[in-house]
Amino acid sequence: MPFASDSAADARFHAIREAGSRSPRCFRGEPDKSDSSRPISEIFGINTFNERVMREKLPGKVFRKLRQTIRRGEKLDMEIADSVAHAMKEWALERGVTHFCHWFQPQTGLTAEKHDSFLSFDDEGQAIERFSGSQLIQSEPDASSFPSGGMRSTFEARGYTAWDPSSPAFIVEGANGKVLCIPSAFISYHGEALDQKAPLLRSMEAVSQRAREILKLFGQKDPGRVTTTVGPEQEYFLIDRSFFHLRPDLMAAGRTLLGAKPPKGQELEDHYFGSIKDRVQAYMQEVEFELYRLGIPAKTRHNEVAPAQYEMAPIFEEANIAADHNQIAMEVMRRVALRHDFALLLHEKPFAGINGSGKHVNWSVQSAEGVNLLEPGDTPERNLQFLVFLVSVLKGVHKRGALIRSGVASAGNDHRLGANEAPPAIVSVFLGEQLTRILDAIERGENSQESTEKRILSLGIGKLPIISRDQTDRNRTSPFAFTGNKFEFRAVGAAFSISYPLAMLNAAVCEALEEIGSELKQRLKDGAPLNRAVMDVVKAAIVETKAVRFEGNNYAEEWVEEAERRGLPNLKTTPEALDVLTRADDKRLLKRLGIFSAEECEARYHVKMERYIKDLEIEVETVRDMAYTMVLPAAYRFQGELSNSVESAGRALAQLKLDARVSGSIKRQSDQLLGVLEQIGGLHESLESLDRAMDKAGRAKKVGEHGRLLAENVVPALAKVREHCDALEEKLPDGYWPLPKYREMLFIS
Ligand code: ADP
Ligand code: MG
């Protein structure tokens, strides 16, 4: 192999050798290797303070009260807090836990924790373990270092974390000890939401209230709590850790800011559902082992479309728990990756030119009895009810597409949405052929003379559950697709906390449920029979929301034009999308539903815009650094050698009086030199333009303007820099290139 011993690429070749010679890792070996061969049912949830443990450890009365709090999403009765804390501590101590923490989700996209030991002293000064109800319920981290968007001025830096009893406490096992984590919401001194969880919980409550109103119209006297159910499919990349450490861009920005396309990418379509490499499978198995212990119901694993890309999908749960579990899962995946000498990439677009990663968030609503309200039923009543919920979703997405889009806005996701391989930034709904036929028939008023029962059945709804779940009735390009008994929201980015996107989606649907509910109520009050009233309201909603339904190819250029004609918003960049949070109408909605006050909206806007700005600043700094300290030096070196070569060949030509064939070879060498010189010149110019674009953006007076200028000028300037770097990568000798190449990162593991 051409290992040039004195070259900057030494480290790279070393990494290639390392990555190529690793073998699959066994389980961590601790606490008990044999655990991994036990049935999943035996290890599932053993590190969680779940209902079974509560029942076992708590006095009957306390257990019943706590369970009620959890099931109904109610406030915790302070009287039982000490008792619950005591039981939790006893359970944790039995499992070797020494510390506890309130585990919460500030607006960084990550989770936060501050550990406290159980250590305390009794009256005699003896060391003991203590954990009180108040420690369980609330803690007061210094909130001033978390993003708040101006919600807290520094003199009022207090923020509280408050236990969310609906999400089970869990134990995180480290190499040298265990920590009890208490899922918590993070709120300011005045009760404003500072985290991801609070808005999700509020939106779930809002959906529940409106959905219950509808259920009442269908004759349920006192319907219990309606929950949002969610199953997030998580896509990710795994590359060898040695490569990761040699890429400043992956380390700082999470994505490759340069890197030429490999000769083979995903063209052969040989990766999706392909057999999983041993090393990767060993990784997945250990991840699942850890997830099961934490009560996270991982269900499927497979290769994804791009090389080195994979997916993990859990069984769906109540949204709040699914969101917590997804955050924990991302963290577990990251940690286990290190143990297997992988680096986990959760960025939405780690590699240019091949598929990015998203989170397909499967979403539905479920009654207190566990009935999926988006599942067509066996009876006419059920199907009427199904139609009401279905058109409410259509209505919500139709009216609030922009708000939903704003919920998935980030610098990373901008590379995915609208990049012709992921759902576009235009939010439309795919229903599938079956349902489209049914809605079209309802719209035409077909069979309207017949009884509702007959009509619904004759429309084929009774057969829906079987037929529409057929794999062929799929549209992989839609951002929001009905898949038989739930919607799949595909525009969420892989690195996202799903809480915020869900809160925005819930808000949109909530408003529609409210409107549909009150129209129904009015008609019933006017004396219409239920069937009639429902079909009229459903029909009106179908007509109203027609523009948002799209069954074609969402990646096609024609769709962009068509969507524009239909009046659907196409918010291509994050700053455009975030502007929605400043619109009076959207703010009013969020406020009315109790999800965000006007101030909280403002704060979210600031936090998200500032994050966008910082993400881009990091990218710019990193790419400058790589260009000046890695790419250009390598290019100069080759350029110097080429010049020498051309020169000495010219001398030889003169001395030896060689013929024209040889002078052609010199001409080609000088062309090669010229090509390198051109790219070096181009790279310098593009770096200077990048600096100018940054300066201009930096002079903006407001964050929104700053963001907009970055999106308009800096993002394309970054792409230009990349173009020249990538051209140089293709021109320079392999042994001079210091950065792991795409072909290595994507194919060696
Ligand atoms: P598909 O083949 O349509 O992708 P799966 O059954 O594999 O369907 O489900 C994909 C994801 O959707 C899984 O995470 C699953 O748990 C979740 N899911 C299924 N039903 C629901 C539901 N009612 N609400 C939310 N998520 C659901
Ligand atoms: Mg799916």
Side-chain angles (χ1 to χ4, degrees), residues 164 209 379 575 579 714:
D164 164 20
Q209 280 175 19
T379 63
D579 265 347
V714 169

Side-chain angles (χ1 to χ4, degrees), residues 229-233 313-316 362-364 366 372 469 471 474 483 485-486 488:
T229 53
V230 163
E233 304 169 38
I315 295 172
F316 73 93
N362 294 271
W363 173 96
S364 189
Q366 181 176 301
N372 179 352
R469 285 173 129 200
Q471 293 292 325
R474 285 276 165 129
T483 53
N485 60 355
K486 62 188 182 290
E488 189 170 321

Side-chain angles (χ1 to χ4, degrees), residues 104-116:
F104 60 102
Q105 302 163 32
Q107 297 170 68
T108 54
L110 304 171
T111 57
E113 48 195 79
K114 176 181 140 247
H115 301 179
D116 274 293

Side-chain angles (χ1 to χ4, degrees), residues 434-565:
Q434 275 274 323
L435 215 44
T436 301
R437 254 208 324 270
I438 291 165
L439 294 202
D440 287 350
I442 295 175
E443 186 188 348
R444 285 192 303 269
E446 264 169 33
N447 299 347
S448 58
Q449 310 310 322
E450 298 172 40
S451 75
T452 307
E453 175 173 2
K454 217 171 146 212
R455 179 173 54 199
I456 296 291
L457 291 176
S458 70
L459 289 171
I461 293 182
K463 295 202 184 89
L464 253 184
I466 307 151
I467 300 165
S468 71
R469 285 173 129 200
D470 182 356
Q471 293 292 325
T472 57
D473 198 19
R474 285 276 165 129
N475 179 331
R476 296 239 144 245
T477 68
S478 176
F480 202 75
F482 187 71
T483 53
N485 60 355
K486 62 188 182 290
F487 279 94
E488 189 170 321
F489 182 23
R490 304 198 180 112
V492 182
F496 271 68
S497 152
I498 60 173
S499 300
Y500 185 80
L502 281 171
M504 297 303 109
L505 173 61
N506 281 350
V509 174
C510 234
E511 181 185 33
L513 285 170
E514 206 170 68
E515 282 176 21
I516 296 250
S518 65
E519 280 168 35
L520 260 179
K521 218 177 262 174
Q522 188 57 48
R523 277 166 212 262
L524 293 173
K525 216 166 117 198
D526 293 345
L530 182 66
N531 296 353
R532 179 82 261 152
V534 168
M535 288 319 278
D536 287 349
V537 168
V538 165
K539 183 176 167 180
I542 292 171
V543 173
E544 182 194 328
T545 62
K546 225 168 166 189
V548 85
R549 276 160 56 195
F550 183 62
E551 303 285 306
N553 177 8
N554 287 251
Y555 300 171
E557 194 49 43
E558 299 86 74
W559 169 230
V560 176
E561 293 157 24
E562 167 70 18
E564 197 179 335
R565 273 195 295 280

Side-chain angles (χ1 to χ4, degrees), residues 392-418:
S392 297
V393 177
L394 282 177
K395 211 170 144 90
V397 179
H398 177 244
K399 181 155 179 201
R400 300 289 173 184
L403 185 65
I404 294 171
R405 162 67 181 101
S406 81
V408 295
S410 79
N413 219 13
D414 278 0
H415 294 283
R416 228 181 121 238
L417 302 182

